[in-house]
């Protein structure tokens, strides 16, 4: 059993004008495909790991043999992060709103939904170099905003992601060039809030 590149649940052009079709196509078919292939290749020498889910492997990197751990961290991280990223986006007209429960958690953690939005945009915009910004549920079942470098996942820190944004340049350079803040604002128009709310409710139940 090897890990497969998941299909998108929408067309490459479905997130336009916020995220352009060409970026989506290259990002999914080339970048995510490459992480998938390299993750599978890294696991070849320890095939027993294929019995776990990719998320389980990333959640317990300490259990991965040391000779392959860095490759699994990078490529397995790239595999699960992108898989998650596609799921938490939706065409703008289907983007919905945070559920009452999620909004309540945002108010507890940040004061308001708007403040949560502002902090997330700030963290995504100021992440130095390549990486990701996240909203996660921590071990106290409360929300946190954080960023990770490269393809690191909050799963490896025992946190449950409910939202993320890829801020590697390959995620936005064709359309936005050096204007990462414009890309981050555009991304917020295509968040699948129904999915994010569901992930939140699963994480705290
Ligand atoms: Mn990417």
């Amino acid at each position: 059993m090897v890990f497969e590149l998941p299909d998108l649940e929408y067309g490459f052009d479905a997130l336009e004008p916020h995220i352009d079709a060409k970026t989506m196509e290259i990002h999914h078919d080339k970048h995510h495909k490459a992480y998938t292939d390299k993750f599978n290749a890294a696991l070849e020498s320890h095939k027993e790991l294929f019995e776990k889910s990719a998320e389980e492997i990333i959640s317990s990197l300490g259990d991965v043999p040391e000779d392959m751990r860095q490759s699994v961290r990078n490529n397995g991280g790239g595999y699960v992060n992108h898989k998650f990223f596609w799921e938490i986006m939706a065409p703008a007209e289907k983007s919905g709103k945070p559920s009452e429960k999620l909004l309540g958690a945002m108010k507890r953690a940040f004061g308001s939904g708007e403040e949560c939005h502002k902090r997330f945009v700030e963290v995504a915009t100021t992440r130095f170099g390549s990486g990701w910004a996240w909203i996660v549920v921590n071990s106290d079942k409360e929300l946190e905003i954080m960023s990770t470098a490269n393809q690191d996942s909050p799963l490896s820190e025992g946190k449950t992601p409910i939202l993320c944004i890829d801020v590697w340049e390959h995620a936005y350079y064709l359309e936005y060039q050096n204007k990462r803040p414009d890309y981050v604002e555009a991304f917020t128009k295509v968040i699948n809030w129904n999915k994010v709310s569901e992930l939140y409710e699963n994480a705290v139940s």
Side-chain angles (χ1 to χ4, degrees), residues 27 31 35 82 85-86 132 151 166 168 170-171:
H27 202 171
H31 291 275
Y35 288 118
H82 288 90
F85 186 47
W86 312 136
W132 297 73
Q151 294 297 349
D166 186 343
W168 283 59
H170 68 231

Side-chain angles (χ1 to χ4, degrees), residues 3-4 6 31-43 49-50 53-59 61 64 68-84 132 134 150-156:
F3 294 107
E4 287 178 6
H31 291 275
H32 196 185
K33 172 80 163 57
Y35 288 118
T36 306
D37 292 346
K38 289 179 187 166
F39 183 34
N40 284 321
L43 296 175
L49 286 168
F50 285 119
S53 71
E55 289 77 10
E56 283 168 340
I57 295 172
I58 296 305
S59 298
L61 279 175
V64 173
M68 62 195 288
R69 193 177 299 150
Q70 191 60 41
S71 178
V72 167
R73 178 175 174 179
N74 293 341
N75 297 299
Y79 177 73
V80 301
N81 290 348
H82 288 90
K83 189 168 156 242
F84 187 74
W132 297 73
W134 307 85
N150 305 316
Q151 294 297 349
D152 288 351
S153 164
L155 290 171
S156 307

Side-chain angles (χ1 to χ4, degrees), residues 10 15 17-19 84-86 88-90 92 95 117 120-121 124 132-133 135 162-167 171-172 176 180-193 196:
Y10 40 78
L15 307 183
H18 309 290
I19 301 181
F84 187 74
F85 186 47
W86 312 136
I88 55 81
M89 292 193 286
S95 125
H117 175 106
F120 179 75
V121 167
W132 297 73
I135 300 181
I162 63 164
L163 179 68
C164 70
I165 179 172
D166 186 343
V167 294
Y172 62 89
Y176 295 98
R180 189 195 285 183
D182 292 1
Y183 157 67
V184 175
E185 276 299 341
F187 164 81
T188 65
K189 307 289 195 294
V190 293
I191 294 173
N192 183 347
W193 284 113
V196 175

Side-chain angles (χ1 to χ4, degrees), residues 105 108 136-144 200 202-205:
R108 279 198 305 282
V136 300
V137 175
N138 65 21
S139 53
D140 297 326
K141 308 251 178 200
E142 294 295 345
L143 297 179
E144 265 178 40
Y200 170 71
N202 290 343
V204 297
S205 65

